[in-house]
Amino acid sequence: MKEVILLWLSYYTPLHMLTDNPSPQIIMQRVRNLILEYVKTVAGYKMGDMPGLMEVFCMWEDFVAHPLEFYFQQFEEPVYTLSEKMSLKEVDEAWKMWGDTVTDEMLYENELDVLATPEWMAFSAAAARAMAIMAKRGKLPEDHAIS
C-alpha cells in the first residue's frame, strides 16, 4: 500500500521537486506545501484570478489521490497533524460536491455563476478552514525531514 502511495506521489509531484532524489517523507512535505498553497488559492479566489476555475478544479486531483478513503494514508504524521488530515478530508468532500454541480462549460464560461453556487461557497469555506489549520505550522522544510 505504501509503495502505491509513493508511486502516486512521485507521478504527481512536479519534476523539479524530484531531481534531488528526495526521501518519501520530503516528497510528502513538498506536496503538503503545495496543498497549503492550493487551499489558500481556493479560499481567496476571486473572479478572473489565475489559475482559472477549471484549473482550480483539476489541481486538487494533482495533489490528492482518490478515492481519498483508500489513500488516506497519504496524510501521515509527522507531515500532517490529525486536525490537518481531517480538514483536508472536509475539503475533499466539498470539492466532490462542487464537482457534481458544475460543468466544464460553466467553469470556462460562467465563472461568476460558479462562484455564486452554494457548493463553491462550501468548498471555499472548507479550504479557508484547512488553510487556517495548516497555517499554524506553515510550510514545512523541503530539504530535510521533520520528526
Side-chain angles (χ1 to χ4, degrees):
M1 173 69 84
K2 184 109 171 158
E3 293 78 22
V4 171
I5 293 168
L6 292 174
L7 178 63
W8 178 89
L9 284 172
S10 65
Y11 179 76
Y12 282 103
T13 301
L15 185 59
H16 73 278
M17 291 187 161
L18 295 175
T19 56
D20 57 349
N21 198 24
S23 69
Q25 182 172 329
I26 291 175
I27 292 172
M28 291 173 67
Q29 288 174 200
R30 292 173 180 180
V31 170
R32 182 195 175 277
N33 291 345
L34 291 170
I35 290 172
L36 176 56
E37 288 302 315
Y38 176 82
V39 294
K40 284 181 184 178
T41 298
V42 172
Y45 192 88
K46 295 175 199 73
M47 192 169 120
D49 279 357
M50 293 304 286
L53 280 181
M54 176 57 90
E55 187 63 23
V56 167
F57 180 75
C58 294
M59 284 172 68
W60 182 246
E61 289 182 304
D62 290 346
F63 306 134
V64 178
H66 285 94
L68 189 64
E69 294 75 24
F70 180 70
Y71 288 105
F72 205 60
Q73 293 178 20
Q74 70 187 300
F75 301 126
E76 292 181 343
E77 291 183 3
V79 177
Y80 297 89
T81 65
L82 180 58
S83 59
E84 289 172 346
K85 183 187 295 192
M86 298 313 293
S87 72
L88 293 175
K89 185 171 182 6
E90 181 183 334
V91 170
D92 188 68
E93 290 166 356
W95 174 82
K96 287 177 193 170
M97 288 179 22
W98 176 51
D100 288 344
T101 64
V102 296
T103 64
D104 289 356
E105 179 181 291
M106 289 174 69
L107 291 171
Y108 282 121
E109 298 174 12
N110 301 321
E111 197 169 273
L112 188 59
D113 292 343
V114 172
L115 295 175
T117 64
E119 292 81 10
W120 168 263
M121 290 181 212
F123 178 51
S124 180
R129 287 187 294 276
M131 178 186 70
I133 291 168
M134 294 178 79
K136 290 176 185 171
R137 292 195 307 155
K139 287 190 171 187
L140 299 182
E142 296 192 357
D143 59 348
H144 65 278
I146 63 168
S147 54

